[in-house]
Amino acid sequence: MREKVIAVFDIGKTNKKLLLFDGELKVIYSEESRFKTILDEDGDECDDIALIEEWIINRITTIITDNTYDVVGVNFSTYGASIVFIDADNKRITPLYNYLKRIPEEIQETLFNNYGGAREFCRKTASPELGFLLNSGIQVLWLKQRKKELFSRVNGILHFPQYLSFMLTGEMISEATSV
């Protein structure tokens, strides 16, 4: 009889891990991988999301077909402040932009000015004024203002863990803690 497990993919900036937990939530299998980064269209370093997707599909398929484990659940944990833009055909249309990507100051200034200034915006969103893509709203505004052709194709926006779940299930959902 196959052992029931929950598969957790822990996608960090440096290490990508797969953990299998048994019914008592003890880790019974663990593996770790590292992938080379790639460059986005602006020449900035970012994770190779296509490679991560391929790895996840390969690993889950191998586990399911191996007949050792019965996967009863899959969950994703990823580094924060990363979102994926999806088109009307449910296809990813951008790289997984690095949240440390520098953006023009006027992008975040526009957002700050619309929401009570930098101090109030940062207080309400608990995101510091750093000039990077560390805030989802700033990422969306940056894409809208600086990559208009891409933004015109956006039909959905998911945080990285929800995107990975969507990749497996085809269901586009989100929850409050991702925001």
Side-chain angles (χ1 to χ4, degrees):
M1 188 161 148
R2 298 183 313 164
E3 184 171 7
K4 293 184 182 302
V5 296
I6 299 169
V8 175
F9 289 92
D10 180 12
I11 311 297
K13 290 293 283 172
T14 303
N15 299 310
K16 287 32 172 176
K17 299 175 189 167
L18 167 60
L19 305 158
L20 297 182
F21 291 85
D22 67 11
E24 296 178 8
L25 300 180
K26 292 181 182 162
V27 176
I28 59 170
Y29 176 83
S30 173
E31 70 178 63
E32 188 173 308
S33 297
R34 287 184 175 197
F35 304 122
K36 289 185 178 183
T37 56
I38 60 171
L39 300 179
D40 68 19
E41 70 274 12
D42 299 321
D44 294 316
E45 188 175 89
C46 62
D47 266 333
D48 187 340
I49 190 167
L51 190 58
I52 294 169
E53 293 167 348
E54 181 182 310
W55 175 73
I56 290 169
I57 297 292
N58 176 279
R59 297 310 303 133
I60 202 72
T61 301
T62 299
I63 292 166
I64 289 171
T65 58
D66 179 60
N67 287 327
T68 303
Y69 301 110
D70 178 14
V71 179
V72 297
V74 178
N75 201 352
F76 297 97
S77 170
T78 70
Y79 51 83
S82 296
I83 56 179
V84 179
F85 298 92
I86 301 163
D87 70 10
D89 294 323
N90 291 331
K91 303 290 183 210
R92 179 178 41 80
I93 58 174
T94 62
L96 182 63
Y97 294 113
N98 188 327
Y99 59 77
L100 295 177
K101 180 181 183 78
R102 284 223 170 262
I103 60 166
E105 276 187 36
E106 62 265 15
I107 301 288
Q108 74 178 10
E109 290 304 318
T110 299
L111 201 59
F112 294 161
N113 291 338
N114 288 336
Y115 293 95
R119 174 172 272 166
E120 184 63 9
F121 179 86
C122 294
R123 184 189 70 76
K124 284 183 177 177
T125 63
S127 60
E129 181 183 357
L130 296 175
F132 303 116
L133 295 178
L134 281 168
N135 178 285
S136 300
I138 290 173
Q139 285 189 52
V140 173
L141 186 61
W142 168 77
L143 194 77
K144 181 179 180 182
Q145 290 184 0
R146 298 300 166 123
K147 311 249 181 217
K148 293 177 182 179
E149 187 279 323
L150 280 174
F151 189 78
S152 71
R153 296 172 39 212
V154 171
N155 189 58
I157 302 169
L158 291 171
H159 284 89
F160 194 18
Q162 286 76 30
Y163 168 73
L164 295 174
S165 179
F166 166 71
M167 179 188 74
L168 287 184
T169 66
E171 294 185 43
M172 195 177 297
I173 59 169
S174 191
E175 39 80 31
T177 61
S178 69
V179 178

